Amino acid sequence: MTRFSASTPTERRKLVVDAITAHRERGSPFCTLTADPETASEPDFDSESKSAASGADDGSDAGDEDGTEEELPPWIQFGDRTLNLDCTDEELEALKTLVGEFPAFKIEQLRSPEDADGTNVRISAKADANRIAQFVDRAFREVYGCSESVTVWAVEV
């Protein structure tokens, strides 16, 4: 893989396909894609309403040194034909609608830990990398409310 970010719909989908391909070739447990917080939001985006459930498998700590919660940017992981993401209740409703448009995708697990504000969702994605890339790009835009020009990063492959 030679590039790790993209900011147009076509380039983002290509990046997702490349990340999935690299992940499979390397035999890694998953690949992680994240929205760049600097380009993620629409001008009228209400950042207070967007808080992901902490539970990413990336081992990151969502808290600052002073104990305050730091908002994580939207992220989506793919591994073993499964998408993994966190969302708020509002985002979950948008996600269910989006999954309904992809017949090869199915919500397999919803987990809402007591200590997290949100739900971790596992979606089986029995589709080729191109179809998964279409879903991921739309999820960043339609579920997380990211702007048309959001930059998506492949942060782990």
Side-chain angles (χ1 to χ4, degrees):
M1 214 171 136
T2 58
R3 63 191 181 90
F4 297 93
S5 69
S7 58
T8 67
T10 300
E11 289 299 310
R12 286 192 299 265
R13 289 188 298 268
K14 185 173 177 356
L15 176 70
V16 174
V17 169
D18 290 348
I20 289 170
T21 301
H23 146 72
R24 288 175 173 161
E25 288 174 353
R26 295 174 186 189
S28 63
F30 54 84
C31 62
T32 304
L33 301 143
T34 188
D36 184 331
E38 297 296 317
T39 62
S41 56
E42 299 283 357
D44 64 345
F45 179 76
D46 178 10
S47 63
E48 294 300 313
S49 69
K50 304 290 274 182
S51 63
S54 57
D57 292 336
D58 63 3
S60 65
D61 184 6
D64 285 344
E65 288 180 18
D66 64 1
T68 61
E69 284 290 317
E70 179 182 315
E71 186 174 319
L72 297 174
W75 57 268
I76 299 173
Q77 292 180 324
F78 174 80
D80 194 28
R81 300 182 80 164
T82 301
L83 291 162
N84 177 37
L85 57 147
D86 286 346
C87 53
T88 64
D89 292 342
E90 181 179 303
E91 292 164 345
L92 180 58
E93 291 309 311
L95 180 63
K96 288 176 180 179
T97 299
L98 182 61
V99 168
E101 296 179 30
F102 288 77
F105 291 50
K106 179 182 176 188
I107 295 177
E108 295 290 340
Q109 181 181 38
L110 298 172
R111 200 180 100 226
S112 299
E114 289 181 26
D115 61 341
D117 294 328
T119 302
N120 179 261
V121 184
R122 300 216 178 228
I123 302 167
S124 66
K126 296 182 171 108
D128 66 19
N130 288 313
R131 193 70 171 143
I132 295 167
Q134 291 170 3
F135 180 89
V136 168
D137 187 50
R138 286 188 59 193
F140 278 120
R141 301 267 340 281
E142 296 173 24
V143 174
Y144 292 118
C146 293
S147 70
E148 177 72 27
S149 61
V150 63
T151 299
V152 171
W153 286 87
V155 295
E156 189 165 353
V157 192

